[in-house]
Amino acid sequence: LEKLSNASVCAKLRHLSLAGCRQVGRGGSWASINLILSAKTLRSLNLSHIQFTSQSLPSLCKAIGEHENIRDVSLCGTGLGKNGLSGLCLSALFVNKRLEKLDLSWNRFNHEQFAQMGVLIDATDIEELAVDYCAAYVVGRDSPVAELLEGLAKDKSLRKLSLVANRVDFRSALVIEDALDMHPTLKDINMTDNPLGALGMRSLLRLLSRKENALKHFQSDGCYQGATGMLDAEAEGCSVYSFTNPGSRYVLDLSRPYHRSLLRILYKTAEATKMPLDKAFEIVEANPPYQHASKSSGLWQVPTSGRLVCNFSVEAQIQSS
């Protein structure tokens, strides 16, 4: 690696792959970072399954983030998400507005890190993003990948998204349906090996059927497990949205992406039926006191904390029209 840092070699280096070189070691990882800094013409980089240390990861991400020509980066299984510097690493990485393809699979990310990605990706032009096998398990909470999915509502460049084996169930599928229903460029989603069940599949099929978004294809191999109907979901203590019969009482914890998406979909339903919000919603309980959301840049801006219990009904409006 140090020999490759020769000026004459670096001037011609376009593609660098050290994928699977698990014995690179600490010295080799630092040498690879120095090579990235020296190879100004580098276009694609694959360092998958090289274990970088907590000291070298920030430098690696900074080198990639500041590179002027790199377009395609794969950092699968490099240890991102394992330490307290992960937020710094993600910020340094996503600052590169020239990135087109980014693969972060086989790293373990929590809710806060996925939420950060959802914010950061809005300022990039990334066209292909893979986060396969990345969802950390937290007892009593939904899959953390839902935080990223919610953030994609503001994205305008993504064309392909891979979410293999991230515990995406009907809750996260509803977040996808909500966030991507107007996405202008996303055409392909890989949902392989997620417990979508029948309810999750319905969300994705509704999304696929809408003309307002660009989605053309989603892979669903191994997605048969999960809630098969309303009774299964309600048995888990969840408020569940029914497209054909949305009227119901909803108990919402607005700190959860699933419940925020559920509330946004209710607003969209009221808007589609031209039902005034004060008639569509009956606020039963709210802590803190609740004021109806407003739209900004075409998106309903709902609170990110608090508890809301409401009755929702648009049947009268549907029947009268």
Side-chain angles (χ1 to χ4, degrees):
L1 287 175
E2 291 177 352
K3 291 180 179 179
L4 286 176
S5 297
N6 180 279
S8 60
V9 175
C10 286
K12 300 177 181 179
L13 189 60
R14 300 290 188 277
H15 309 282
L16 176 63
S17 176
L18 300 176
C21 296
R22 299 176 185 271
Q23 304 302 319
V24 165
R26 179 174 298 183
S29 63
W30 281 108
S32 66
I33 294 171
N34 291 330
L35 181 56
I36 295 168
L37 292 170
S38 302
K40 303 297 183 182
T41 59
L42 192 64
R43 301 278 294 186
S44 69
L45 174 68
N46 190 341
L47 299 178
S48 295
H49 304 294
I50 295 177
Q51 285 297 309
F52 287 84
T53 65
S54 58
Q55 290 77 30
S56 59
L57 266 175
S59 297
L60 170 65
C61 293
K62 186 174 185 290
I64 295 172
E66 294 179 351
H67 202 285
E68 295 184 356
N69 287 298
I70 203 162
R71 300 290 186 272
D72 184 349
V73 173
S74 180
L75 298 176
C76 304
T78 51
L80 280 169
K82 281 188 176 180
N83 57 65
L85 296 176
S86 297
L88 177 65
C89 292
L90 291 173
S91 295
L93 185 61
F94 277 83
V95 77
N96 191 333
K97 292 180 171 55
R98 292 165 290 278
L99 278 181
E100 296 173 358
K101 298 181 181 180
L102 181 60
D103 191 345
L104 300 178
S105 301
W106 291 97
N107 292 292
R108 193 64 68 192
F109 297 115
N110 60 28
H111 290 78
E112 290 73 23
Q113 292 157 353
F114 270 122
Q116 183 183 9
M117 282 189 223
V119 173
L120 293 171
I121 198 171
D122 181 39
T124 72
D125 290 321
I126 293 174
E127 296 180 2
E128 297 186 19
L129 176 65
V131 287
D132 303 339
Y133 299 90
C134 282
Y137 179 72
V138 181
V139 177
R141 297 186 67 179
D142 302 336
S143 172
V145 77
E147 302 279 356
L148 166 63
L149 299 173
E150 185 180 29
L152 295 181
K154 297 181 180 179
D155 173 74
K156 303 299 181 193
S157 62
L158 205 59
R159 296 179 180 276
K160 187 175 182 180
L161 176 65
S162 187
L163 299 167
V164 175
N166 273 306
R167 296 188 296 106
V168 176
D169 59 6
F170 72 92
R171 303 170 185 84
S172 298
L174 189 83
V175 177
I176 295 175
E177 179 184 0
D178 166 46
L180 302 181
D181 69 340
M182 298 289 287
H183 200 287
T185 59
L186 186 61
K187 294 184 177 181
D188 189 297
I189 306 177
N190 188 348
M191 300 295 299
T192 300
D193 290 335
N194 283 291
L196 291 175
L199 286 183
M201 287 294 291
R202 288 175 190 171
S203 284
L204 291 176
L205 289 172
R206 286 195 296 264
L207 183 64
L208 187 65
S209 69
R210 291 174 185 149
K211 298 180 180 179
E212 294 81 6
N213 63 69
L215 188 63
K216 300 297 182 184
H217 178 257
F218 71 89
Q219 294 172 252
S220 58
D221 296 337
C223 293
Y224 51 87
Q225 294 184 348
T228 59
M230 300 282 286
L231 292 178
D232 288 343
E234 289 171 351
E236 298 180 26
C238 293
S239 293
V240 183
Y241 175 78
S242 169
F243 180 77
T244 55
N245 185 24
S248 183
R249 171 168 290 200
Y250 294 90
V251 180
L252 306 176
D253 174 0
L254 297 178
S255 67
R256 296 172 58 184
Y258 170 62
H259 284 178
R260 293 195 293 269
S261 287
L262 185 50
L263 181 56
R264 276 189 292 265
I265 287 177
L266 294 180
Y267 277 120
K268 293 174 186 178
T269 302
E271 183 180 36
T273 58
K274 299 180 180 181
M275 186 79 160
L277 297 183
D278 59 343
K279 293 185 178 180
F281 289 87
E282 177 192 358
I283 307 301
V284 177
E285 179 186 339
N287 184 23
Y290 186 76
Q291 292 185 342
H292 280 299
S294 59
K295 291 183 75 174
S296 175
S297 301
L299 302 175
W300 287 99
Q301 305 299 313
V302 303
T304 57
S305 63
R307 184 174 187 270
L308 175 66
V309 181
C310 64
N311 294 326
F312 180 80
S313 178
V314 292
E315 281 76 6
Q317 184 77 3
I318 294 174
Q319 292 174 2
S320 64
S321 60

